[in-house]
Amino acid sequence: MGKTMKIALAGEGGQGVQSVAEILAEAANEDGKQALYIPNFGVEQRGGVSIAYVQIGDENIGAPKFIAADILIPLSPRAVQRTREHAGKNTVYIYDNSLIQQAEVNDHIVGLQYFDVTPPNPRSEQPNRDLPQDLIAGEPKTASFMTKSQGVRPEDIPEVKKVIAIPANDIAKNELHPRVFNVIILGAVIAATQILPMDSIKNALETKLGAKFNANPALRDMNFKALERGYELVHSAM
Amino acid sequence: MAEVLLQGEQRVFMTGNEVVAWAAVAAKADIMYGYPITPQNEIMHYWTRLAPKHGKRFLQVEDEISAGFTTVGGVMTGRKAFTATAGPGNVLMQESANMAEMMRVPIVYVVQQRGGPSTATVIYAQQETTLTCFGGNGEGHRLVYSTATHQELFDYTIKAFNMAWTYRFPTFVLGDGYQAKMRESLTMYNPEEKGIQLVKPVPLLGDTTKPERQFKHLRNTYNTEDELYKVVMNNQRDWDNMAEKVVEWDEKGCEDAEVILLTHGIVARSAITAYQQLRAEGKKVGFFRPITLRPFPGKELKEAIKNAKKLLVAESAYGQFLKMVQNNIFGSQIEIVPLLRPGVGITTEEIVAEYHKLS
Amino acid sequence: MQELEEDGILQPAMPSCWCQETKPHKFCPGCGHGIILKVLGEAIDELGIKDTMVFGCDIGCSLLSWDLFSIDTVQTHHGRTTPVITGMKRANSDIIGVAYMGDGGGYAIGSQHLFNAAVRNEKITILLCNNCNYGMTGGQMAPTTLPGMKTETTPYGRDVSETGYPTKGPEMVAAVAPEGAYVARGTIANVRQLKGFIKKALENQIAGRGISFVECLSSCPTNWRTNAKQTWEFVEKDMAGFFKVGELRGSEVKEG
Ligand SMILES: Cc1ncc(C[n+]2csc(CCOP(=O)(O)OP(=O)(O)O)c2C)c(N)n1
Ligand code: SF4
Ligand SMILES: [Mg+2]
């Protein structure tokens, strides 16, 4: 019985964890694997931490949520606090330890049932411009990557199998573009899980964003570079 | 939204709400009436996009009372009509479900349970179990399918239309917020290509294709106790006759099990994984899960537990399913250990941990 | 100074009846709910009625105001705020009851309550936020959705031959309410006027004259998917073009 890989991603609204999870699950499904993705949703209030649960394996997948994650990726100090219960003895823990810039949350975000809830529904003529765009264009909805904050306190990191800190924010901001922050994370997940070839993810990105990539090939380069950067960061640490 | 060809078989990866919309198309549903409520909204969203392409209709009405009764009206004209709701909306829909029960209107409801009571959470629960099975001032003459996977959401939504139109009782597909919002894969198909005959709806009233028809008077009011008694007992007899033909359940390893894990709906996913893990460790554990909650597979459950010592009943409600179980196994000496978590999910780990506490 | 504040040049202070601890409030940036409730807060401050008031909010984004005021508050069911506040007022007429709801809550699921409260001339104040859609559930058609407007349940635009024309709530209430009613439609695009309407609506209740109903044209940039400029254009042009702003009943009520 092949083991099902349990992945939990958590971050602030606007960091795009749900998009990462969705692309990951879709890529796994396309790759012929069993995959399940469930977002947490609710009347999220004022920048509630958003968690995405993804499971990938060869067998039918059981409960949609789980307690101990194999890979746990909290992307903000608050996400570190919120995901405590998902850290187990065998968890690989990846967090963002950017030095200069930490995502700052605009605390005005609402109680929307819809927001972190569902992948957007395309409109008839005007395709929904919400989530996928966070990857490449438009201001992230709620996070600004400009301001310093305290960052993750080392004492908050739970005891797990392995801890990997990556400066994804710094890299996005300084080397690439703030908006590919979550694509770096996606690359990191691929490296940590080793269950999907890089090409499947590239294909999935291509499916999602192909039209935009074709209109602006530089975007494709930027995204793929971010993906590889994220991959290397974790791969070299594993 | 994924484009699905309802020809041959197609593996798709989508949310449960999208699955329901596609299943309704596959079942040849004609019209949906609805009112927005989370976590069911996307059934409507997808249906409004699919409907015009497939020559179907949609009406958004002013609330769930209206959604329930417009659906009753639609069904009466001999169209496959359905509605979908959750939580407080399900409460309001019970009024129409009562009329449908009394008048034998084959209406289909899809319920994506959310936390209760009241508006509570928009997330998840199994707290609409009693309501969906028995809501109203009647005897609970309905059919209720409690699904656990996207494949089942698809299969049983199609079946719900068929069973409703065969037996003429209101039929519910009981899902939940997790099923509504999560994505997983399933195989879609055209039921007719698979040899599943779609039951043809017929008008109860207003068959405009037959102007020469004999007019009908339908009522749900009776003058005397005896009159009412006859009608209710007649329905009860029909319901009892239907029960053994439609009852469905799933069980594994109960023959030699000492402890049986008893769950329904999405919690059964946690239970089945727990069952597999524990069996792999050599533990004598069994798995039982009703798929129909109305009618409840009571006889089958009694049979399954007869050699076991303990029954671990887990549900995301405080004893709604448990009461049904107790009712149905009345007389059995088996010890029941409940794991009751109203409005929150139950993971495989939690069931395994509870199991280890038993011995 | 006062003018500067009202013109939005200086950030005016929070109304004193707002609860400090629960700020910032929970609405999206650019949401009209916050503006309406701020105006309501100022009116409450000016009338000094905080201690006798009960505030009721509906389900819909109005529920996000459940802890907005330091005033006794009840968050009810979708559409049921009017009867809950009516019940309070009937049982204790010293209470100043304010029912706050969305257009879905007031004109769809709660429409019979609004209608009957108006017919009975209940001595309560009803404030309704018209944002042309169901905000909280992710932007479906509301009774007030403009003709041709796209929503999640009218993906091809609202077809009035199928779903009728937008509900004109104040016109309906004005048509059925007896003598003593106060009915107006304000807009977040003119907060000074809106405050006048809301104050009169409260005073009308305090004087025990009859039902007071104010609809406020509001914004929902999140579901409209509009930027700041488009949002204001929609409120000021499209909405105001269809929904006429002004007083429909009881304009003789003097603002005290
Ligand atoms: C009985 C019932 N039906 C449906 C819902 C789901 N629901 C929650 S908010 C809402 C609509 C809100 O729209 P509106 O009243 O216009 O308020 P807005 O969010 O736009 O301010 C609906 C349908 C519910 N909570 N209860
Ligand atoms: S969804 Fe719309 S109505 Fe609700 S808080 Fe956001 S902007 Fe306001
Ligand atoms: Mg509204």
Side-chain angles (χ1 to χ4, degrees), chain C residues 64-92:
Chain C
L64 301 171
S65 65
W66 69 273
D67 62 354
L68 187 109
F69 295 104
S70 31
I71 287 179
D72 279 346
T73 299
V74 57
Q75 176 243 303
T76 74
H77 274 202
H78 187 36
R80 313 303 178 202
T81 310
T82 301
V84 170
I85 296 297
T86 296
M88 286 186 182
K89 185 75 182 189
R90 288 281 177 153
N92 178 359

Side-chain angles (χ1 to χ4, degrees), chain A residues 2 7 26 28 34 43 49 52 63 66 69 73-75 82 91 94 127 134 138 141 157 180 183 198 227 232-233:
Chain A
I7 305 153
E26 272 175 12
Q34 294 294 336
V43 187
V49 171
F66 44 81
I73 309 179
L75 294 173
R82 255 298 293 276
T91 302
I94 303 175
D134 285 2
K141 279 237 167 57
I157 308 283
V180 294
V183 184
M198 206 52 160
L227 197 62
E232 280 157 28
L233 283 173

Side-chain angles (χ1 to χ4, degrees), chain A residues 23-105:
Chain A
I23 291 181
L24 186 65
E26 272 175 12
N29 178 62
E30 285 299 315
D31 216 48
K33 299 230 169 358
Q34 294 294 336
L36 190 153
Y37 154 57
I38 186 167
N40 74 327
F41 59 99
V43 187
E44 287 283 298
Q45 290 175 4
R46 285 203 264 135
V49 171
S50 157
I51 310 182
Y53 301 87
V54 179
Q55 297 180 69
I56 299 172
D58 299 320
E59 310 279 324
N60 283 342
I61 291 168
K65 293 190 184 173
F66 44 81
I67 299 178
D70 298 310
I71 314 273
L72 176 57
I73 309 179
L75 294 173
S76 73
R78 289 204 306 181
V80 166
Q81 307 277 1
R82 255 298 293 276
T83 54
R84 223 148 242 267
E85 63 162 342
H86 298 309
K89 286 194 302 292
N90 297 316
T91 302
V92 174
Y93 195 91
I94 303 175
Y95 75 101
D96 183 281
N97 71 337
S98 295
L99 290 174
I100 351 171
Q101 291 101 1
Q102 263 292 336
E104 188 206 51
V105 175

Side-chain angles (χ1 to χ4, degrees), chain A residues 110-112, chain C residues 26-33 61 64 129 131 133 135-136 219-223:
Chain A
V110 198
L112 257 199
Chain C
K26 306 177 181 68
F27 304 106
C28 305
C31 174
H33 274 293
C61 289
L64 301 171
C129 162
N131 57 13
N133 76 17
M136 176 146 278
S219 57
C220 179
T222 300
N223 287 302

Side-chain angles (χ1 to χ4, degrees), chain B residues 101-116:
Chain B
E101 242 178 58
M102 178 58 120
M103 290 190 150
R104 308 289 299 270
V105 178
I107 181 172
V108 172
Y109 299 90
V110 178
V111 175
Q112 303 285 34
Q113 300 171 87
R114 58 186 248 176

